[in-house]
Amino acid sequence: GIQVEQSPPDLILQEGANSTLRCNFSDSVNNLQWFHQNPWGQLINLFYIPSGTKQNGRLSATTVATERYSLLYISSSQTTDSGVYFCAVGDGGFKTIFGAGTRLFVKA
Amino acid sequence: GAGVSQSPSNKVTEKGKDVELRCDPISGHTALYWYRQSLGQGLEFLIYFQGNSAPDKSGLPSDRFSAERTGGSVSTLTIQRTQQEDSAVYLCASSFELAGAEQYFGPGTRLTVT
């Protein structure tokens, strides 16, 4: 099956810093989503981005499907950005495979 | 409803008991998914329902796990003879009926087996 690898596994930032999170996947996918899991466990949709580039405020994402990776950019980080960021890909059908996540802590 | 809802939010049960977890998808979403998240881990796919088709049960960890969907809407995940290793957060998601469609998640049910 498809393998999804996220890096880095852990990241500590000072408030105001920028960061890039990476998601590599091992095969063609029909879906790629980025989620933020907040400290209460809720998964929040950030981007649905099987290809191309999207921006939403301080966050942006780029997926290069032909090279099998996606990047999530966080600019001017805030303490509320803390949590776990997951990349999830579709296997061509309805099954979705999640990466292990990047755990982000933003210090005030 | 406005989003995916799950109940109960927390469940503590004794080893060996059966439990039922409920998921109400977003209105109009005909695909429904169950995942399990163990402490500090990523999400593990369990099962999905696509419209009226037979569910894909390939992710269910054992025959103690089963799921059904009534009327193409509400779904129930049942765990029989619970074991301590079943302790986890069980998450439900829904989407439109299109392979690769965007999924929206409920708040989860935290199951603790003592």
Side-chain angles (χ1 to χ4, degrees):
Chain A
I2 297 176
Q3 304 296 313
V4 181
E5 294 184 356
Q6 292 187 241
S7 59
D10 297 281
L11 185 59
I12 300 174
L13 297 176
Q14 191 66 44
E15 195 170 30
N18 303 327
S19 64
T20 301
L21 281 58
R22 187 175 180 103
C23 173
N24 292 334
F25 43 96
S26 61
D27 206 341
S28 299
V29 300
N30 64 341
N31 171 19
L32 190 142
Q33 289 189 248
W34 283 98
F35 296 92
H36 175 214
Q37 189 167 42
N38 64 23
W40 296 271
Q42 177 69 51
L43 278 164
I44 299 165
N45 292 44
L46 297 177
F47 294 102
Y48 174 80
I49 187 166
S51 64
T53 297
K54 291 185 177 180
Q55 181 158 5
N56 184 2
R58 296 182 296 103
L59 303 182
S60 63
T62 295
T63 297
V64 184
T66 53
E67 296 187 21
R68 300 180 183 167
Y69 73 89
S70 183
L71 302 173
L72 177 69
Y73 306 95
I74 304 174
S75 64
S76 304
S77 58
Q78 301 176 359
T79 57
T80 52
D81 295 333
S82 296
V84 184
Y85 290 80
F86 287 107
C87 167
V89 303
D91 69 345
F94 282 80
K95 189 171 180 177
T96 301
I97 300 97
F98 276 72
T102 291
R103 188 174 303 274
L104 173 65
F105 179 68
V106 181
K107 299 187 295 184
Chain B
V4 179
S5 61
Q6 292 186 244
S7 61
S9 55
N10 284 284
K11 176 72 176 179
V12 180
T13 190
E14 293 180 352
K15 177 182 173 181
K17 301 278 189 177
D18 297 352
V19 295
E20 286 188 352
L21 312 179
R22 178 188 168 105
C23 172
D24 275 278
I26 292 172
S27 178
H29 282 186
T30 52
L32 187 147
Y33 314 78
W34 283 98
Y35 297 85
R36 177 170 70 175
Q37 186 176 28
S38 300
L39 187 63
Q41 304 297 311
L43 275 73
E44 173 191 7
F45 164 80
L46 297 179
I47 186 172
Y48 75 76
F49 296 86
Q50 173 204 348
N52 295 322
S53 303
D56 178 344
K57 305 179 181 180
S58 61
L60 293 178
S62 80
D63 58 8
R64 296 186 295 104
F65 287 71
S66 63
E68 64 177 17
R69 191 174 186 193
T70 54
S73 181
V74 172
S75 176
T76 302
L77 177 69
T78 301
I79 308 173
Q80 296 178 310
R81 305 180 303 281
T82 52
Q83 304 294 312
Q84 288 186 330
E85 60 263 28
D86 299 334
S87 296
V89 176
Y90 290 82
L91 291 152
C92 173
S94 70
S95 75
F96 289 113
E97 188 173 334
L98 177 66
E102 186 170 6
Q103 295 180 30
Y104 296 86
F105 280 80
T109 293
R110 182 175 299 277
L111 175 66
T112 303
V113 182
T114 61

